[in-house]
Amino acid sequence: MGTTQLESVPEPKYWQLRTVLTEALDSEFSVGEILPNERDLAARFGVARATLRQALEQLELEGRLQRRRGVGTTVAPPRVGVAVGSAQHTWPGAADDAWQPTDCVLAPPPAAVADLLETGRDEPVHTVRRSRTTHIQPVATELLYVPRSSVPALPAIDTPSGAARARAVLRELQRLPLEGQDQSVELGSAGAEDARELDRLPGAPVLLVTTRFHTAGRTAAVSMATYRADTCRLTFGAFGGVEIHHDPQRHAS
Amino acid sequence: MGTTQLESVPEPKYWQLRTVLTEALDSEFSVGEILPNERDLAARFGVARATLRQALEQLELEGRLQRRRGVGTTVAPPRVGVAVGSAQHTWPGAADDAWQPTDCVLAPPPAAVADLLETGRDEPVHTVRRSRTTHIQPVATELLYVPRSSVPALPAIDTPSGAARARAVLRELQRLPLEGQDQSVELGSAGAEDARELDRLPGAPVLLVTTRFHTAGRTAAVSMATYRADTCRLTFGAFGGVEIHHDPQRHAS
DNA sequence: GAGTGGTCTAGACCACAGC
DNA sequence: CTGTGGTCTAGACCACTCA
């Protein structure tokens, strides 16, 4: 008598829960609707709150849910497609781009960036801060590193740090011939600052996009952008406008 | 007397731990080295194991650690750059590509894919399974959906399902003129099957790459690839060979 | 078998939003 | 103030690997 478990545990409870909740979201809930609170949900499914939370975390990671401390858990809208690489490469700051410059300082970049720029590790570069929003939600922050050699005509550094100087640097960049750009995407977690700016908690999953801008055979600038992984689908090419309504948890054939 | 906390909790313990461990990894550990087990580490830092694990999860997400049940926790090597989009677009199955076809069946695709292909929702399409490895580690699995109209010359379906048929479909694809491709990247979690194939646990974070191949103004094929997010850095363009040794947790200027 | 990471529990308290 | 999600604890047991 007394089997080890009712279900012989073929798979963990939080994973079963995730599946059940996914189906419930697909069939019984609509975007923006608020779910019952975690304590009630846990009781309803007969699991500890920690287990229920593990399932909710999965769903938030997949962009199906949005949780806010003090508020509640709501059904998230489909991810927005955010264009990060286009067929016709353009400099950051071009007329059509979606970024808002907020600040600019002259400082030594992180070592990894210095290596990409092939500048000395202690050599200060223009560091432009920008942010990007869709509708009203912040989706990304960026640090754009521009060596002084890329913008030699920039007026003396008497311009105070700030958005004005950021725009000046970007304007000077446009004058260079852009030969091409390389990009890479990887998973990261938001640091305290980025988290605040993206309206998330520290450690929230983000997509880190590194872009190298080339001119005359050398690297003219490097951008390191941090996108909210829960709400964004990064698009390359003409994929921008397309809506994809699939479950990010891949269901094999 | 008795302050609420020793440290007035400006930030959560697991986050402080993450920082401490990151620094320790940078300075005192080398790639492949095994860390003390979780119970010892938790005791050493004076926290519960669950809290310690929260910090380790972060570090694993960032690609700094690798954890294996029954084995232990080791320091992970830097992420490998995996080329997913190149300047000169090529069909899947081209001579140089890194994928290994393993199977092919004719079945109706998920609804989302049917919409992208503009086929009927119940219309069966060739579904090619492929996998991709670097060195000896699996890094990605893929389902490639090819409508029958894209490979009309394919011999009758008497070829048994399997790698041979997969190669036949890919070979036929090469005959079409490739006009271009769109891609999108988003965060997802590995389903049970993918997890097994990628040597991870269900729910492991993955990067979902959707590629649309165009010919003659229509979509000739759709690929949905699942990359291990912990070990991969997806590269677009010539970024392939570059090593980046930065901390995926963005440190602002 | 011993030792590892993975899952789960039942509680407690905290930080935050909104009334 | 109440109610929400976020953090943390101290334990237990399970699944897995390897000697």
Side-chain angles (χ1 to χ4, degrees):
Chain A
M1 16 233 101
T3 59
T4 43
Q5 281 287 82
L6 283 176
E7 303 256 1
S8 81
V9 283
E11 46 180 22
K13 271 189 191 175
Y14 76 89
W15 188 254
Q16 301 179 35
L17 254 184
R18 193 210 76 103
T19 306
V20 170
L21 288 171
T22 297
E23 289 163 1
L25 288 179
D26 285 337
S27 60
E28 296 166 35
F29 287 86
S30 47
V31 170
E33 201 167 339
I34 58 184
L35 269 63
N37 72 53
E38 295 183 349
R39 289 161 180 87
D40 286 352
L41 277 179
R44 178 176 318 185
F45 288 107
V47 299
R49 193 179 151 217
T51 305
L52 185 269
R53 277 180 60 81
Q54 220 175 330
L56 295 185
E57 263 151 40
Q58 286 281 341
L59 292 168
E60 193 177 28
L61 192 84
E62 294 166 18
R64 301 294 309 261
L65 291 181
Q66 204 157 356
R67 299 193 288 172
R68 288 177 180 251
R69 165 150 57 178
V71 180
T73 302
T74 59
V75 180
R79 283 184 173 140
V80 287
V82 189
V84 304
S86 50
Q88 79 293 5
H89 300 155
T90 57
W91 286 110
D96 63 331
D97 94 0
W99 293 90
Q100 193 71 32
T102 60
D103 195 15
C104 177
V105 298
L106 192 65
V113 172
D115 292 349
L116 285 177
L117 289 173
E118 292 165 359
T119 59
R121 293 222 170 178
D122 294 323
E123 185 182 330
V125 303
H126 299 288
T127 305
V128 178
R129 246 205 180 289
R130 300 195 299 169
S131 64
R132 183 171 178 170
T133 63
T134 52
H135 313 287
I136 53 167
Q137 235 192 7
V139 294
T141 69
E142 181 203 41
L143 287 175
L144 178 69
Y145 301 94
V146 183
R148 279 190 285 193
S149 58
S150 292
V151 287
L154 199 70
I157 324 283
D158 49 4
T159 320
S161 299
R165 183 146 135 220
R167 278 188 290 269
V169 170
L170 294 175
R171 199 160 42 233
E172 280 304 308
L173 254 190
Q174 316 294 322
R175 302 162 58 124
L176 286 176
L178 177 59
E179 271 178 4
Q181 64 184 44
D182 302 330
Q183 295 188 296
S184 83
V185 178
E186 63 188 307
L187 181 58
S189 54
E193 287 189 38
D194 287 332
R196 205 173 343 97
E197 235 179 305
L198 295 176
D199 192 25
R200 302 257 60 202
L201 294 170
V206 293
L207 296 171
L208 231 83
V209 180
T210 306
T211 307
R212 220 168 23 158
F213 296 93
H214 293 135
T215 188
R218 62 177 198 66
T219 303
V222 164
S223 152
M224 309 229 18
T226 304
Y227 288 81
R228 282 183 60 153
D230 55 343
T231 57
C232 293
R233 200 182 78 246
L234 307 184
T235 65
F236 297 79
F239 227 141
V242 182
E243 278 289 347
I244 305 184
H245 301 96
H246 66 73
D247 184 349
Q249 187 259 315
R250 251 270 301 277
H251 28 328
S253 66
Chain B
M1 9 230 92
T3 59
T4 43
Q5 281 287 83
L6 282 177
E7 304 255 1
S8 81
V9 284
E11 46 180 22
K13 272 189 190 176
Y14 77 89
W15 187 255
Q16 300 178 37
L17 255 185
R18 193 209 76 102
T19 306
V20 170
L21 288 171
T22 297
E23 289 161 2
L25 289 179
D26 286 336
S27 61
E28 297 166 35
F29 287 85
S30 47
V31 170
E33 201 166 340
I34 57 182
L35 270 62
N37 72 52
E38 297 182 349
R39 290 161 180 87
D40 286 353
L41 277 178
R44 178 176 318 186
F45 289 107
V47 300
R49 182 156 78 114
T51 305
L52 186 269
R53 277 181 59 81
Q54 220 174 329
L56 295 185
E57 264 150 40
Q58 287 281 340
L59 291 168
E60 193 177 28
L61 192 85
E62 293 165 19
R64 300 296 309 263
L65 291 181
Q66 204 157 354
R67 300 192 288 173
R68 287 174 182 254
R69 165 154 49 181
V71 181
T73 302
T74 59
V75 180
R79 284 188 173 136
V80 286
V82 189
V84 303
S86 52
Q88 79 293 2
H89 300 155
T90 57
W91 286 110
D96 62 331
D97 94 359
W99 293 91
Q100 192 71 32
T102 60
D103 195 16
C104 177
V105 298
L106 192 65
V113 173
D115 292 351
L116 286 176
L117 289 173
E118 292 166 356
T119 59
R121 294 222 169 177
D122 294 323
E123 186 182 329
V125 302
H126 298 287
T127 305
V128 178
R129 248 208 177 287
R130 299 196 299 169
S131 64
R132 184 171 178 169
T133 62
T134 52
H135 314 287
I136 52 169
Q137 237 193 6
V139 295
T141 68
E142 180 203 42
L143 287 176
L144 179 69
Y145 301 96
V146 183
R148 279 189 285 193
S149 57
S150 292
V151 287
L154 199 71
I157 324 283
D158 49 4
T159 320
S161 300
R165 183 146 135 220
R167 278 188 290 271
V169 169
L170 294 175
R171 198 160 43 234
E172 280 305 308
L173 253 191
Q174 315 294 323
R175 302 163 57 124
L176 286 177
L178 177 59
E179 271 178 5
Q181 65 185 43
D182 302 330
Q183 294 187 296
S184 83
V185 178
E186 63 188 306
L187 181 58
S189 54
E193 287 190 39
D194 289 332
R196 202 173 347 97
E197 233 177 308
L198 295 176
D199 193 24
R200 305 258 56 202
L201 294 170
V206 293
L207 296 171
L208 230 83
V209 180
T210 306
T211 307
R212 221 170 19 160
F213 297 93
H214 294 135
T215 187
R218 63 178 195 67
T219 303
V222 165
S223 151
M224 311 233 11
T226 304
Y227 289 81
R228 282 183 60 151
D230 55 342
T231 57
C232 293
R233 201 182 78 247
L234 307 183
T235 65
F236 297 80
F239 226 141
V242 182
E243 279 287 348
I244 305 184
H245 301 97
H246 65 74
D247 185 348
Q249 187 259 312
R250 251 268 301 279
H251 28 331
S253 68

